[in-house]
Amino acid sequence: MASIGTVFTPAGRKALLLGSGELGKEVAIELQRYNVEVVACDKYPNAPAMQIAHRSRVFNMLDGDALREAITSERPDYIIPEVEAIATPTLVELEKEGFNVTPTASAALLTMNREGIRRLAAEELSIPTSKYRFASNYEEFVKAVEEVGIPCVIKPIMSSSGHGQSVIKTPEDIEKSWKIAQEGGRAGAGRVIVEGFVDFDYEITLLTVRSVAGTQFCAPIGHVQIDGDYRYSWQPQAMSEEALAKAQEIARKVTDALGGYGIFGVEMFIKGNDVIFSEVSPRPHDTGMVTMISQDMSEFALHARALLGLPVPEIRFYGPSASYAIVVEGDTKVVEFSDIEKALAEPGVQLRIFGKPEVKGHRRMGVLLATAETTEEALAKCRRAAEAMTVKAL
């Protein structure tokens, strides 16, 4: 029997968010709808989820000792990793000691490291993936590129949002790509994956929910990335019944292997009716922000409901929708959004401003959402709203 008592009492429930960006903020909101106490953690102060959480903690989550101290002192009912940059071996230890990690500590460990999840999918589950090799130093890297072939994609085994990612198109790019990968890894310089270039028609994120009621799938989400970072997405992505069935089968295999309850963002390449597995995140996915307008329960609401041990019997999809990231460039702690009334003048358009405290280089600071009769028109609405609004780094 699931029960949640009054917050701040022994009968209450407490969740520790490891990562407090825009995705963590939405998860925190959904948890609070269930009267769950939320402690938001991140490496910097005043992160988006911290602004609405009950309490917050600032520490380096890659520091295993600091992570253990936070968890053992808070003693949360739910530990919720929301980013990759976490000392996951410590989470594994704490789970063995009785702490509850969502969806599981092993899922966080495997998916934080591209090598772990790629070997699980390709070598243990026999799921189609791109050709790949791993390299720990420059000599191994050169050999890996030779074996995979040019063109190929280079990524640190631990990174996110496109950091450290590049494409080798000619032999002259090899040394440069190695340097980019070494500078962009979450934990600093280290091991990289060399992936064969995949010829695909489009790529999708298939949000997969595991709850006490079983496994459910959201409508497939199409998306476009620039330098490995999401820029806009739409739902549903048109695809054949055969391709969708294959995608769901792959997503089910991967998420069953990872286990636990919660939402998983499973990324795949589609070529005709062929489906190639790419990556999986055991948490809400940035491309899935479109679900804040497209479904009765967003990916964040689904994640909160599932991890609390509550059933997800169905997911109601409203219709064609789109999301469009608002990316700000500069070096500032002051960002001004103006002409918002112009952006929201058109029916079916919504705006979320994340509340991130600063920009260094470029950073996703908000998202526009829209519904329409078709996904193309929903995207067009988002673009018109973005053009109408003025965003300045002051």
Side-chain angles (χ1 to χ4, degrees), residues 11 13 17 24 41 69 93 143 187 195 203 247 277 295 341 386:
R13 294 287 182 269
L17 274 180
C41 306
E69 191 281 327
E93 294 172 1
K143 183 180 179 182
E195 294 185 283
E203 54 185 322
F277 172 80
Q295 301 180 170
E341 73 282 4

Side-chain angles (χ1 to χ4, degrees), residues 39-97:
V39 182
C41 306
D42 216 313
K43 63 182 179 181
Y44 64 96
N46 206 28
M50 293 178 180
Q51 297 167 26
I52 55 92
H54 293 94
R55 290 182 295 106
S56 64
R57 285 174 169 260
V58 178
F59 62 95
N60 179 4
M61 294 179 293
L62 286 168
D63 183 333
D65 292 337
L67 180 61
R68 173 175 282 277
E69 191 281 327
I71 291 171
T72 54
S73 62
E74 292 287 351
R75 304 203 70 81
D77 299 283
Y78 314 97
I79 300 169
I80 309 173
E82 281 300 310
V83 294
E84 294 88 350
I86 300 171
T88 45
T90 301
L91 286 184
V92 173
E93 294 172 1
L94 289 164
E95 187 176 69
K96 291 177 180 177
E97 295 168 22

Side-chain angles (χ1 to χ4, degrees), residues 275-290:
V275 180
I276 299 173
F277 172 80
S278 176
E279 295 182 353
V280 58
S281 300
R283 62 186 69 88
H285 200 272
D286 52 7
T287 63
M289 284 191 280
V290 66

